[in-house]
């Protein structure tokens, strides 16, 4: 049952693509998809049309053939009450029909008095744009006509046969045989639409003397878009005689709306002259089309052809329409049952992937460890896994650079969808012609466009031979006046075409398998995220408790240390003579140890405060900051050190106090651990676009984009390679306490903590005996 909203959507779609003012004489194959076939202002002559206003039931528009059926000119009926044609009782039946779901009660029986003789008509009624359309056809006196009382017994056998079929092919073949038996047409076909709008005959029942059309393809232009929309609205369309002369409406436009009458739901609506020409070129005199609709989309047609005029009474038409609805309902089940084993196999592969993903450390490991199954998931021969520009190729694929370019192009193809697929990649991406033998078909899955996370499946070219019903190219006719006209094809002889640069098409359930894989991936990612969030929460709580413990423990330890230091000093002062030199030396050693312990505790306290204190970010000119640091260092150090700053330093957003401490620690280490006669320290930065920039980063550190790298370089003693990873460990010293001026071993640990608090990274490049360079970033904090 078509809802009013759905009908309105279809009508809006038709209005969007058609041109209401396009004259019939100007229509040809070139522009037939814009022909306003829903407003022809004419009907077929095997019935008549009355357009009525509501609720007064005044005739406002009629077909011009009323004289043939009512023996009254159309002008005599205009602006007259319908009661002049129908009796009051029949008008009441009409009103009751319109008050309910009129699709359920159509057609109606009307007895109409024509010059004293009662004529029987069957009628179809519906509303359209504020008026009521009543279509009447004379009822044929035919003993073979089926009454509605016999309807059930008549359709029981064919419906039972349809329901017993196992496959789609079997369903369609049974359908054409049943419809041919009911309708008596010479040829009955199931015509299935492809995704590109073209169609093919997949089942046929035909008289022995006629050439078969089974397996033939027809181009999309044979049935324009607006006609396909109307097939959805009208489940059955009959043309009893394709050589008919259209019967115009009087007046030509609806006088109530001053616009052409919308006849989208009309059964008598006149068809396009191009369509009757097409039928004539095929040698068809009568035709009937039964729509096969799946999920509100036109899946195909049951097309009936006859070589002579043939008019079916409403009863037989209704039976054919009912069979079409039964077949439409069966389509889902039969298509789902196709390739059942293959679908089950896909489900098993999906389950295996979900299990692998749940046990893998990374998504890349989970998807690529079983490479054959990843390709089998969509029936492909090659796969590319892409994550933030890193690409892994599996099986038969284009080259790495070609896939990289393809991924860049794909970024604009997804729009609102998460899957992009094509079996003719070079048609939409011309660069694919360079690798068409490896890849003519592509299905791309966007797991996350933000993270540039894609899976691309590839299929190779498969040469195909398509059997067309005549040359599918639009033929050109030159009329007697020399005008060029795009006309319907005249030849329907077998015409073979070899198709290149195409793969096997992607099946709906293969596309669904990719979509479900994405859902599984996202589900597992969310699960991992929840687990990680819980761990982070626990870790954060533990870190807070640990920082608090370190602070309290360090603070409390300082008091007994001071006591030990002070009592040792008292003992030396009061009892030094009695203790002798050996006793005094031991007490002085104890005092030095307590002083070192207090220094270590102070460093630990400072380190714990760094993790607890909030950053106070301000704009800091590093030239000014370095000037202060160098001045303070020069005051406390007597030896001469040369400071080099090759270029003006930038301004950054940072915590000024902490960054000052960072530079102080790194610069102090530069001349502290330096045994050269001429000591120098160089402080600078390297822009991200410099060639040397990429050589600075060690493999273990991810290279952020557009980030300045700061450095502090010296000509000191350097660090052996085996100790590089140890220098940032707290209280880790590489030299005895008294050598190179002592120290607690916490300075570089504090430096790393400061850099990490600013979202950056720090590392060392050092040559033993020649000097060291400390590199660090303040990621996300760099300003111009």
């Amino acid at each position: 049952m078509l809802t009013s909203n759905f009908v309105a959507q279809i009508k809006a779609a038709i209005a969007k693509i058609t041109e209401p003012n396009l004259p019939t004489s100007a229509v040809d194959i070139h522009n037939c998809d814009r022909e306003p076939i829903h407003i022809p202002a004419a009907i077929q002559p095997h019935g008549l049309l009355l357009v009525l206003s509501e609720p007064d039931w005044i005739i406002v528009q009629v077909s011009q053939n009323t004289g043939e059926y009512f023996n009254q000119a159309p002008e005599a009926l205009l602006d007259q009450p319908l009661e002049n044609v129908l009796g009051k009782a029949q008008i009441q039946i009409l009103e009751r029909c319109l008050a309910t779901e009129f699709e359920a009660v159509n057609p109606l029986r009307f007895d109409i008095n024509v010059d004293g003789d009662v004529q029987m008509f069957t009628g179809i009624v519906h509303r359209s744009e504020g008026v009521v359309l009543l279509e009447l056809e004379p009822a044929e006196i035919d003993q073979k006509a089926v009454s509605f009382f016999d309807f059930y017994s008549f359709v029981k056998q064919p419906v039972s046969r349809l329901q017993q079929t196992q496959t789609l092919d079997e369903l369609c073949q049974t359908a054409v045989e049943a419809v041919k038996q009911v309708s008596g047409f010479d040829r009955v076909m199931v015509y299935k639409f492809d995704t590109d709008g073209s169609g093919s005959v997949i089942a046929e029942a035909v008289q022995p003397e006629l050439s078969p059309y089974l397996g033939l393809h027809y181009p999309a232009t044979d049935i324009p878009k607006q006609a396909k929309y109307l097939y959805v609205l009208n489940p059955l369309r009959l043309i009893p005689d394709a050589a008919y002369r259209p019967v115009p409406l009087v007046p030509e436009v609806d006088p109530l709306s001053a616009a052409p009458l919308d006849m989208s739901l009309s059964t008598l609506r006149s068809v396009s002259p191009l369509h009757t020409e097409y039928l004539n070129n095929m040698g068809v005199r009568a035709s009937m089309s039964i729509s096969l609709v799946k999920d509100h989309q036109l899946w195909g047609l049951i097309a009936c052809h006859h070589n002579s005029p043939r008019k079916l009474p409403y009863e037989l038409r209704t039976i054919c329409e009912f069979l079409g609805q039964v077949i439409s309902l069966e389509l889902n089940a039969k298509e789902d049952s196709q390739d059942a084993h293959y679908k089950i196999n896909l489900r098993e592969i999906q389950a295996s992937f979900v299990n692998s993903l749940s046990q893998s450390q990374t998504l890349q490991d989970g998807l690529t460890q079983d490479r054959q199954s990843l390709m089998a998931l969509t029936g492909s021969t090659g796969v590319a896994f892409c994550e933030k520009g890193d690409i892994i190729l599996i099986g038969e694929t284009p080259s790495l650079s070609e896939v990289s370019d393809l991924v860049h192009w794909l970024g604009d193809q997804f729009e609102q969808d998460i899957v992009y697929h094509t079996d003719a990649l070079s048609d939409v991406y011309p660069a694919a012609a360079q690798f068409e033998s490896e890849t003519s078909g592509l299905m791309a899955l966007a797991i996350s466009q933000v993270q540039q996370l894609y899976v691309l499946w590839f299929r190779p070219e498969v040469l195909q031979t398509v059997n067309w019903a005549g040359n599918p190219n639009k033929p050109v006719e030159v009329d007697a006046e020399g005008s060029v006209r795009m006309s319907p094809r005249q030849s329907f002889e077998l015409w073979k075409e070899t198709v290149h640069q195409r793969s096997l098409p992607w099946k709906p359930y293969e596309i669904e398998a990719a979509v479900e894989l994405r859902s599984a991936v996202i589900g597992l990612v969310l699960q991992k995220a929840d687990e990680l969030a819980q761990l982070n929460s626990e870790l954060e709580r533990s870190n807070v408790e640990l920082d608090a413990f370190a602070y309290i423990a360090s603070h409390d330890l300082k008091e007994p240390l001071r006591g030990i230091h002070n009592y040792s000093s008292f003992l030396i002062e009061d009892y030094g003579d009695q203790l002798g030199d050996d006793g005094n030396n031991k007490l002085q050693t104890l005092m030095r140890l307590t002083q070192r312990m207090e220094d270590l505790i102070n460093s630990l306290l400072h380190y714990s405060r760094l993790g607890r204190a909030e950053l106070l970010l301000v704009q800091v000119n590093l030239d000014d900051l370095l000037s202060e640091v160098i001045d303070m260092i020069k005051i406390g150090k007597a030896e001469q050190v040369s400071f080099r700053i090759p270029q003006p330093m930038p301004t950054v957003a940072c915590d000024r106090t902490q960054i000052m401490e960072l530079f102080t620690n790194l610069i102090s280490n530069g001349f502290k651990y330096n045994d050269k006669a001429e000591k120098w320290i160089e402080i600078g930065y390297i822009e991200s676009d410099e060639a040397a920039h990429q050589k600075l980063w060690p493999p273990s550190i991810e290279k952020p984009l557009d980030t300045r790298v700061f450095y502090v370089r010296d000509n000191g003693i350097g660090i052996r390679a085996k100790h590089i990873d140890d220098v940032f460990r707290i209280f880790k010293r590489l030299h005895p306490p008294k050598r190179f001026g002592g120290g607690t071993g916490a300075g570089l640990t504090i430096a790393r903590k400061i850099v990490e608090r600013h979202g950056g990274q720090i590392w060392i490049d050092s040559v033993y005996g020649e000097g060291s360079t400390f590199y660090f970033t303040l990621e996300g904090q760099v300003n111009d």
Side-chain angles (χ1 to χ4, degrees), residues 276-346:
T276 56
E277 183 181 350
Y278 182 89
L279 293 176
N280 180 65
N281 291 345
M282 293 186 74
V284 174
R285 190 64 184 271
S287 73
M288 183 173 69
S289 300
I290 305 168
S291 303
L292 298 178
V293 178
K294 178 185 176 185
D295 300 328
H296 296 297
Q297 301 291 324
L298 186 64
W299 182 90
L301 297 171
I302 300 176
C304 309
H305 291 171
H306 207 67
N307 291 345
S308 59
R310 181 167 186 77
K311 181 178 184 296
L312 261 63
Y314 269 116
E315 291 87 350
L316 291 183
R317 276 186 261 170
T318 303
I319 291 170
C320 291
E321 180 182 336
F322 177 76
L323 291 176
Q325 292 176 347
V326 172
I327 297 164
S328 294
L329 292 173
E330 289 289 322
L331 287 176
N332 274 324
K334 295 301 184 290
E335 287 198 323
D336 288 344
S337 67
Q338 283 196 146
D339 300 328
H341 178 72
Y342 183 35
K343 294 176 184 177
I344 292 173
N345 186 46
L346 293 185

Side-chain angles (χ1 to χ4, degrees), residues 687-689 693-694 697-698 701-709 759-761 763 776-780:
E687 290 285 4
S688 60
D689 58 352
H693 184 284
Q694 296 299 321
W697 299 84
I701 296 180
E702 182 180 353
K703 304 174 184 64
L705 299 176
D706 299 326
T707 301
R708 290 182 178 127
V709 177
Q761 301 176 88
W763 66 96
F776 64 92
T777 64
L778 301 176
E779 187 175 343

Side-chain angles (χ1 to χ4, degrees), residues 661-681:
E661 183 174 3
L662 168 67
F663 277 107
T664 301
N665 283 343
L666 296 179
I667 293 171
S668 297
N669 280 348
F671 61 75
K672 180 178 180 180
Y673 298 100
N674 195 319
D675 56 3
K676 305 295 192 301
E678 296 182 1
K679 302 178 177 63
W680 55 262
I681 308 291

Side-chain angles (χ1 to χ4, degrees), residues 78-79 109 254 325 335 343 454 462 530 577 630 704 720:
L78 287 175
D79 300 324
R109 287 289 188 179
D254 178 2
Q325 292 176 347
E335 287 198 323
K343 294 176 184 177
Y454 305 106
V462 175
D530 288 341
D577 296 338
I630 293 172
R720 287 187 172 92

Side-chain angles (χ1 to χ4, degrees), residues 71-85:
N71 201 22
Q72 294 188 64
E75 292 79 8
L77 294 174
L78 287 175
D79 300 324
Q80 299 299 311
L82 182 60
E83 190 176 338
N84 291 356
V85 179

Side-chain angles (χ1 to χ4, degrees), residues 240-279:
D241 188 352
Y244 77 91
R245 297 189 61 171
V247 178
L249 300 185
V250 181
E252 186 176 353
V253 299
D254 178 2
L256 299 182
S257 65
L261 180 67
D262 189 333
M263 303 176 67
S264 299
L265 297 174
S266 171
T267 61
L268 291 174
R269 174 175 51 82
S270 183
V271 300
S272 167
L274 228 60
H275 183 60
T276 56
E277 183 181 350
Y278 182 89
L279 293 176

